[in-house]
């Protein structure tokens, strides 16, 4: 067993970091080996690892739910089982693989039963299997190769009000989480899932594991959250669709939230909520980095000084203009808001963002 890296200083030893690995980072044996190396190089035992379902498992579970409506899902279940047990036997030693395969079998029996009889009632329990399997597998592998670890089902401690607003019962969840964290063991926690106040399984919505990661950070008072994914940061547009999209290296919370509002999928507005909570005693920063290229500097989101704020002007929309004037401050701002309906405005600092086509009209208005 190789050991996790020793902390560089005493302070660092106590600072908790959350590392979240998305489905794309856990898609196959090779990806999982990469994740293992990232954990070995970046984690302390008191950190928290949050995982999504491996690869497209959640999509697969959704398709099973659709099939259940029409009746025949036998072949698809067999395929899912084969996929998961191949992954298990590819990466674990024989003894551990046997143990996990037995647990998987039990789950498959349960899944089949729910799909055959009551899939509407158990929809979320069915969707939860992806994250459950993923956490179990990574934790077993860590135990085998890197450090002591325990897998935690977030439904055992994370309580939200309902799936619509997904507001966390912070005090209860935090107290319950403490009872599951084991000293000297790296916790691997399921993303995406939680329970409501009645104890019924809830999901946090598609891509919800990112939100899970920031929730965990707020529950344990972490200083950093890293979302390890398959792109090396947040870009001005989806880099797979827009090849010349620009990487955004540092984003102040406010701007990041605004990007989320404008439709950036990596920055869903909910993901940032636990980190911008004024009651947090410190600033927790969010990093987006690539598990395929961990050395590349990704994007950092957080509370920065004034200079960092000024260098930012990119959003998900094109051809925008950031303008600053004393005429955009306070009472005088009402007129510019009415006249130009800016995409966003900061009337304390005197900034507005408008479409480039409005530039001439705005200059005339200012003149
Ligand atoms: P994960 O499996 O790690 O949760 P996701 O697939 O949910 O990853 O999100 C990462 C994907 O988001 C990238 O592969 C990329 O194609 C897409 N994406 C869309 N918009 C952006 C953007 N503005 N910047 C970076 N990635 C983006
Ligand atoms: N597995 C869930 C999904 O595919 C959650 C996540 O990946 O964040 O949406
Ligand atoms: Mg995602």
């Amino acid at each position: 067993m190789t050991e996790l890296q020793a902390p560089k200083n005493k302070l660092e030893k106590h600072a908790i970091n959350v590392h979240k690995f998305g489905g794309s980072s856990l898609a196959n044996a090779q990806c999982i080996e990469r994740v293992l190396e990232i954990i070995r190089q970046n984690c302390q035992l008191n950190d928290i690892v949050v995982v999504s379902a491996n690869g497209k498992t959640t999509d697969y579970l959704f398709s099973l739910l659709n099939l259940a409506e029409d009746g025949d899902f036998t072949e698809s279940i067999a395929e899912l089982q084969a996929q998961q047990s191949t992954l298990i036997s590819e990466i674990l030693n024989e003894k551990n693989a046997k143990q996990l395969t037995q647990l998987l079998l039990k789950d498959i029996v349960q899944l089949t039963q729910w799909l055959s009889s009551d899939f509407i009632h158990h929809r979320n329990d069915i969707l939860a299997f992806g994250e459950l399997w993923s956490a179990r597998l990574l934790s077993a592998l860590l135990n085998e190769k890197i450090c002591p670890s325990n897998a935690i089902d977030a439904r055992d401690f994370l309580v939200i009000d309902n799936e619509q607003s997904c507001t966390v019962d912070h005090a209860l969840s935090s107290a319950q989480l403490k009872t599951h964290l084991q000293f000297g063991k790296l916790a691997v926690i399921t993303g995406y899932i939680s329970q409501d106040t009645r104890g019924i399984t809830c999901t946090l919505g598609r891509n919800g594991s990112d939100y899970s990661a920031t929730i965990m950070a707020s529950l344990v008072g972490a200083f950093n959250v890293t979302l390890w994914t398959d792109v090396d940061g947040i870009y001005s547009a989806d880099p797979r669709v827009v090849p010349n999209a620009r990487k955004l290296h540092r984003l102040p919370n406010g701007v990041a939230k605004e990007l989320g509002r404008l439709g950036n999928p990596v920055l869903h507005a909910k993901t940032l909520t636990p980190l911008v909570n004024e009651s947090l005693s410190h600033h927790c920063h969010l990093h987006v980095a690539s598990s395929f290229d961990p050395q590349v500097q990704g994007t950092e989101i957080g509370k920065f000084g004034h200079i960092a704020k000024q260098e930012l002007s990119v959003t998900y929309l094109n051809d925008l203009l950031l303008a600053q004037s004393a005429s955009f401050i306070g009472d005088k701002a009402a007129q510019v808001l009415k006249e130009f309906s800016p995409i966003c405005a900061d009337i304390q600092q005197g900034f507005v963002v408008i479409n480039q086509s409005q530039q001439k009209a705005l200059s005339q208005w200012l003149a």
Side-chain angles (χ1 to χ4, degrees):
M1 191 194 290
T2 18
E3 287 296 316
L4 286 177
Q5 281 208 333
K8 289 188 202 87
N9 60 46
K10 282 186 185 161
L11 267 181
E12 197 179 330
K13 187 172 150 196
H14 298 290
I16 301 175
N17 295 308
V18 174
H19 292 267
K20 176 258 170 178
F21 296 95
S24 52
S25 297
L26 297 161
N28 54 41
Q30 201 186 0
C31 290
I32 296 174
E33 285 295 335
R34 252 183 243 120
V35 165
L36 217 58
E37 191 51 28
I38 291 171
I39 292 178
R40 199 180 64 74
Q41 292 199 15
N42 297 279
C43 287
Q44 312 292 335
L45 282 177
N46 61 341
D47 286 347
I48 283 182
V49 172
V50 176
V51 288
S52 293
N54 305 95
K56 301 260 176 243
T57 307
T58 308
D59 290 342
Y60 207 98
L61 291 165
F62 269 106
S63 71
L64 278 177
L65 281 167
N66 287 336
L67 280 176
E69 276 184 49
D70 303 332
D72 197 10
F73 47 79
T74 338
E75 241 176 70
S76 299
I77 285 209
E79 207 176 296
L80 179 64
Q81 184 183 348
Q83 216 176 42
Q84 287 295 319
S85 48
T86 306
L87 199 54
I88 290 172
S89 53
E90 269 174 359
I91 60 177
L92 293 181
N93 68 28
E94 209 177 312
K95 181 172 155 257
N96 292 334
K98 197 171 163 200
Q99 204 178 359
L100 250 69
T101 308
Q102 273 166 1
L103 292 173
L104 174 70
L105 266 177
K106 270 195 194 166
D107 292 341
I108 294 289
V109 170
Q110 177 70 86
L111 175 62
T112 312
Q113 194 192 325
W114 280 335
L115 284 170
S116 325
S117 58
D118 201 1
F119 68 91
I120 293 176
H121 188 228
H122 288 288
R123 180 181 176 275
N124 289 339
D125 296 306
I126 291 169
L127 295 174
F129 277 125
E131 270 66 19
L132 206 60
W133 294 334
S134 178
R136 210 191 263 162
L137 182 61
L138 184 62
S139 179
L141 188 64
L142 284 168
N143 266 316
E144 202 179 294
K145 293 196 167 161
I146 306 280
C147 63
S149 163
N150 63 321
I152 302 175
D153 184 337
R155 289 173 293 180
D156 292 340
F157 68 87
L158 180 57
V159 182
I160 63 167
D161 55 352
N162 58 59
E163 282 198 338
Q164 283 67 49
S165 62
C166 293
T167 304
V168 176
D169 183 332
H170 193 280
L172 179 61
S173 305
S174 164
Q176 295 192 146
L177 170 58
K178 282 195 183 102
T179 67
H180 290 278
L181 294 175
Q182 294 181 25
F183 183 75
K185 286 191 180 179
L186 181 60
V188 180
I189 303 180
T190 55
Y192 185 51
I193 50 176
S194 61
Q195 58 162 295
D196 66 13
T197 43
R198 298 163 300 165
I200 291 172
T201 300
C202 292
T203 77
L204 302 177
R206 293 309 308 262
N207 268 321
S209 298
D210 296 337
Y211 182 38
S212 302
T214 54
I215 291 174
M216 303 306 160
S218 75
L219 295 182
V220 297
F223 274 72
N224 262 302
V225 177
T226 307
L227 305 178
W228 294 97
T229 180
D230 61 353
V231 270
D232 61 3
I234 292 174
Y235 283 71
S236 50
D238 186 340
R240 293 185 203 287
V241 181
V242 183
N244 63 349
R246 193 152 68 89
K247 195 200 288 187
L248 307 174
H249 292 276
R250 291 179 112 200
L251 286 174
N253 284 324
V255 180
K257 217 168 171 190
E258 198 61 19
L259 286 178
R261 193 177 67 83
L262 290 170
N264 186 313
V266 190
L267 279 176
H268 192 286
K270 250 185 222 159
T271 302
L272 288 169
T273 319
L275 305 187
V276 292
N277 187 343
E278 291 303 323
S279 66
L280 275 186
S281 57
H282 61 277
H283 302 303
C284 178
H285 280 208
L286 179 69
H287 296 257
V288 177
S290 167
S291 66
F292 293 76
D293 226 340
Q295 307 308 333
V296 176
Q297 201 200 338
T299 298
E300 180 175 4
I301 299 156
K303 196 164 179 169
F304 300 109
H306 198 59
I307 295 172
K309 269 186 199 165
Q310 286 180 352
E311 69 183 19
L312 287 154
S313 58
V314 181
T315 76
Y316 207 61
L317 301 174
N318 293 323
D319 301 327
L320 300 182
L321 192 76
L322 174 71
Q324 185 185 21
S325 163
S327 305
F328 306 151
I329 295 178
D331 292 345
K332 282 182 270 173
Q335 210 182 333
V336 81
L337 295 184
K338 186 162 168 245
E339 195 106 351
F340 295 94
S341 310
I343 303 222
C344 60
D346 180 339
I347 61 165
Q348 259 98 45
Q349 310 230 26
F351 286 107
V352 295
V353 176
I354 54 165
N355 281 305
Q356 226 157 38
S357 57
Q358 296 171 293
Q359 180 178 6
K360 200 167 161 203
L362 184 72
S363 303
Q364 278 168 356
W365 184 84
L366 281 169

